[in-house]
Amino acid sequence: MTEASAQPGTSSEQRPTELHIGGLHFTASFRGAGATLRVYGPAGGRQTELLRFDDFIDEPHYHVPADGPQIQFDRDALGAPLDWFVAQIRDNLGEMLATGGFTEALAVVDLRAVADNADQIDKMMRDCVPAGYGREPGVGLRKVDA
């Protein structure tokens, strides 16, 4: 079961769009540096930010776990960050959660439901980007000249 709610905003950091899939809570928001996808789920008996993907114009990166150090994204090797981020959520979410120390979440997360709805996560991230920005194939998020 999925549920989405849009929280549009016009400031440099808008309220996130939210999506509930397979026992996880996903939020997408845009801030000056780019788009951020946060993945929340059960850990330590409470809802916790588990993973974060920062689809930034400059220096895209991700965090496994969310409060861990930045893992720099290599566009030359991996292509557009958002495409890779969504593929990881679709195909390797279980491994990422285990690597982040969230094996307890695996008992309650429906990985198949998340994989089957990865296109909604992709759309949510694309839709959170305001006018004046666009996506360049193979490169990712860029500021568009007016």
Side-chain angles (χ1 to χ4, degrees):
M1 184 91 193
T2 62
E3 177 185 318
S5 61
Q7 303 292 334
T10 57
S11 68
S12 63
E13 182 162 2
Q14 60 181 255
R15 293 199 53 199
T17 301
E18 301 176 358
L19 188 62
H20 298 275
I21 306 172
L24 294 174
H25 179 85
F26 297 85
T27 67
S29 62
F30 189 87
R31 40 195 178 145
T36 294
L37 176 67
R38 297 175 190 271
V39 182
Y40 296 89
R46 61 185 176 86
Q47 279 293 101
T48 301
E49 184 180 5
L50 307 174
L51 308 171
R52 184 169 71 239
F53 301 90
D54 291 312
D55 186 16
F56 289 174
I57 295 166
D58 297 316
E59 299 185 28
H61 59 274
Y62 58 103
H63 303 260
V64 179
D67 62 358
Q70 292 182 8
I71 302 168
Q72 294 302 329
F73 185 83
D74 183 349
R75 283 187 177 114
D76 292 334
L78 303 172
L82 180 58
D83 296 341
W84 189 87
F85 293 160
V86 172
Q88 295 310 298
I89 290 169
R90 182 187 62 233
D91 302 332
N92 299 310
L93 180 60
E95 292 171 33
M96 292 186 97
L97 291 173
T99 297
F102 302 113
T103 53
E104 68 185 90
L106 291 172
V108 296
V109 171
D110 184 344
L111 297 174
R112 169 61 62 199
V114 174
D116 289 347
N117 290 282
D119 59 329
Q120 290 185 44
I121 297 166
D122 180 84
K123 181 179 184 324
M124 181 174 68
M125 281 290 284
R126 291 179 189 280
D127 289 351
C128 82
V129 176
Y133 296 85
R135 295 195 180 273
E136 183 178 332
V139 175
L141 194 59
R142 293 283 178 243
K143 185 135 177 79
V144 178
D145 293 330

